[in-house]
Amino acid sequence: MHHDVTLMIVPTSDNQLRMIRGVIDYARDVPEFRIAKHAAIPYLPWSMTNQISSNGVIACAETDEQMSKLASLNVPVVNLTLHTDPSDIIPVVHSDNALIGKLAAEHLMSLGLRKFAFVGHFAWYHNRLRRDGFSEYLSTHDYPCHHIDLEFEAETTGDFSVRRIKRKALQEVLSSIPGPFGVMAAHDEFAFEVVEACNAIGRSVPFDVAIIGVNDYRLICETTMPALSSIAQNSERIGYLAAELVHGLMRGESRPHAPILVPPGQIVVRRSSEFLALDDTELVSVVTYIRNHCHHPITAEEIAEHFDMARKTLDKRFKAALGHTVSTELRMERIRIARRLLTTTNLRVIDVGIRSGFDSASGFVRAFRESTGMTPGQLRSGDPE
């Protein structure tokens, strides 16, 4: 028996396109699961919900109105966004937003920054989760964080949402924060607005303000000057799990009681955060050396010897500037490489470990679990349990 599903995921960004690819991958693996098409197109715009005749729906519903439309369909539905608070009626598959916030904090802290701000639209549930994950991780290191709640001058939602923020208000808040500082923006669109605001008030990016966004929407990231760093979501895995979930609901399986959360993908570092805010110029050279060579099986002792320093002296300078030892910096960089390889390649876990600079599979798995709270396999599968 075939089960047809309608996709209400209009591919207006890389993120949504990758979600659709994830659903396609599931359909390829499970032949009885089919994607309903509108003419040649494998998705349906919101204006045509009255034409849905499939057994289930996977959607990106951003507004209460869209959620109400989904609830009225009387077929199994899975939502792929958390703009609105989780619903008891419609299950959600989404990124682990708190973890996204933590990763952004780790990245900006690794630049040697000590002051931070989060920019988002706090009426959206997932923006609040990212804000809290960011701020809570910073608080564990006693770093303050400014919260900047963006307001919209105009907003048009639908198949292609367009929002214009109040730019003057953003400029005023950013002007009040002494630099240098790091900014996490909840979306790449907001990160672009932060860059524009910094340009308007005479703040240099990344030297006065280092910025990272979310989604790795390349059309935005690579056309912003300077190019935007961003955290990619594991969107294909989100799409795959959503297809698996809606297929189960079609067959009478029970609905999950909480959103299914998928660990994010890699941090794509571009010019907007490619900077080390360190007064110790020799330490800048050491950190740069680590980042360029950590995929080799070098040790902290060898790094100290390379720079003609005692290990204890190097650790003392690292702790003063970055809050951790040289061996911790080495492990953090290797874990970042491993995260990228796990989410962008099909390499075996043991090969990921070797290419990331670990000298054994057991050492890699242990370090990965200690750093991320999950095994490499769990990150790759999108299942942190």
Side-chain angles (χ1 to χ4, degrees), residues 364-375:
F364 168 49
V365 172
R366 181 173 60 255
F368 196 91
R369 189 196 293 272
E370 290 173 354
S371 297
T372 68
M374 66 187 85
T375 67

Side-chain angles (χ1 to χ4, degrees), residues 24 94 96 197 240 367:
I24 293 171
H94 203 260
D96 186 333
Y240 192 97

Side-chain angles (χ1 to χ4, degrees), residues 106-120:
E106 285 181 337
H107 172 66
L108 293 174
M109 284 173 55
S110 76
L111 309 181
L113 295 164
R114 294 294 181 267
K115 295 187 289 289
F116 305 90
F118 180 91
V119 175

Side-chain angles (χ1 to χ4, degrees), residues 285-302:
S285 297
V286 178
V287 173
T288 301
Y289 180 84
I290 289 172
R291 294 179 181 178
N292 289 338
H293 296 85
C294 63
H295 58 287
H296 298 301
I298 57 174
T299 66
E301 287 78 9
E302 290 170 338

Side-chain angles (χ1 to χ4, degrees), residues 6-73:
T6 293
L7 303 185
M8 300 186 69
I9 312 169
V10 181
T12 55
S13 72
D14 296 344
N15 193 41
Q16 291 159 324
L17 183 58
R18 291 194 295 262
M19 289 176 179
I20 292 175
R21 287 176 178 159
V23 178
I24 293 171
D25 286 344
Y26 182 82
R28 186 180 299 116
D29 291 344
V30 184
E32 66 267 24
F33 182 89
R34 301 189 306 190
I35 299 170
K37 300 185 73 172
H38 175 64
I41 305 302
Y43 59 85
L44 195 69
W46 281 97
S47 58
M48 301 179 68
T49 52
N50 60 335
Q51 296 189 25
I52 293 175
S53 59
S54 58
N55 308 110
V57 173
I58 300 173
C60 281
E62 297 183 355
T63 66
D64 290 332
E65 179 184 1
Q66 290 173 342
M67 291 290 285
S68 295
K69 283 185 177 181
L70 295 180
S72 68
L73 294 176

Side-chain angles (χ1 to χ4, degrees), residues 37-337:
K37 300 185 73 172
H38 175 64
I41 305 302
Y43 59 85
L44 195 69
W46 281 97
S47 58
M48 301 179 68
T49 52
N50 60 335
Q51 296 189 25
I52 293 175
S53 59
S54 58
N55 308 110
V57 173
I58 300 173
C60 281
E62 297 183 355
T63 66
D64 290 332
E65 179 184 1
Q66 290 173 342
M67 291 290 285
S68 295
K69 283 185 177 181
L70 295 180
S72 68
L73 294 176
N74 295 318
V75 296
V77 176
V78 173
N79 193 20
L80 298 184
T81 186
L82 276 170
H83 281 69
T84 61
D85 288 16
S87 165
D88 292 333
I89 300 173
I90 300 174
V92 175
V93 180
H94 203 260
S95 284
D96 186 333
N97 293 286
L99 182 54
I100 287 175
K102 176 179 180 289
L103 291 177
E106 285 181 337
H107 172 66
L108 293 174
M109 284 173 55
S110 76
L111 309 181
L113 295 164
R114 294 294 181 267
K115 295 187 289 289
F116 305 90
F118 180 91
V119 175
H121 182 58
F122 299 161
W124 292 341
Y125 183 72
H126 61 333
N127 276 210
R128 299 197 300 273
L129 294 175
R130 292 173 188 178
R131 175 199 65 193
D132 294 348
F134 184 70
S135 299
E136 288 170 9
Y137 187 77
L138 292 173
S139 69
T140 63
H141 294 79
D142 296 323
Y143 294 142
C145 181
H146 297 264
H147 293 169
I148 304 174
D149 189 3
L150 295 178
E151 297 182 40
F152 299 140
E153 283 186 349
E155 181 178 16
T156 302
T157 59
D159 295 325
F160 187 80
S161 297
V162 178
R163 301 175 177 95
R164 187 170 68 248
I165 71 160
K166 294 183 178 181
R167 290 185 166 180
K168 191 67 176 177
L170 177 60
Q171 292 170 18
E172 290 174 356
V173 177
L174 292 175
S175 295
S176 70
I177 305 174
F181 62 96
V183 174
M184 177 189 179
H187 303 274
D188 294 330
E189 293 89 335
F190 295 167
F192 163 78
E193 295 291 355
V194 174
V195 171
E196 291 294 290
C198 286
N199 290 337
I201 63 176
R203 291 285 183 88
S204 172
V205 179
F207 303 106
D208 296 325
V209 185
I211 303 165
I212 186 169
V214 180
N215 283 338
D216 192 33
Y217 187 176
R218 292 179 60 187
L219 189 64
I220 293 175
C221 293
E222 296 178 3
T223 58
T224 300
M225 297 298 292
L228 289 170
S229 297
S230 188
I231 298 175
Q233 299 193 53
N234 199 348
S235 305
E236 292 189 19
R237 187 61 183 167
I238 290 172
Y240 192 97
L241 292 177
E244 187 176 61
L245 175 57
V246 79
H247 195 198
L249 296 175
M250 292 176 192
R251 294 176 295 187
E253 296 177 9
S254 59
R255 186 170 60 241
H257 297 296
I260 295 173
L261 302 181
V262 178
Q266 64 172 321
I267 298 176
V268 182
V269 178
R270 300 186 180 91
R271 186 62 182 143
S272 71
S273 69
E274 207 168 43
F275 168 65
L276 287 170
L278 301 175
D279 295 328
D280 188 333
T281 55
E282 190 172 20
L283 210 58
V284 171
S285 297
V286 178
V287 173
T288 301
Y289 180 84
I290 289 172
R291 294 179 181 178
N292 289 338
H293 296 85
C294 63
H295 58 287
H296 298 301
I298 57 174
T299 66
E301 287 78 9
E302 290 170 338
I303 293 168
E305 184 179 347
H306 179 82
F307 286 91
D308 196 23
M309 280 191 243
R311 167 70 186 277
K312 287 184 178 179
T313 300
L314 186 57
D315 275 341
K316 185 176 180 179
R317 289 168 70 172
F318 257 81
K319 286 180 180 178
L322 292 168
H324 56 252
T325 64
V326 62
S327 59
T328 299
E329 178 72 18
L330 186 58
R331 185 172 73 166
M332 288 169 60
E333 288 302 318
R334 285 171 170 163
I335 295 299
R336 289 189 186 105
I337 292 174

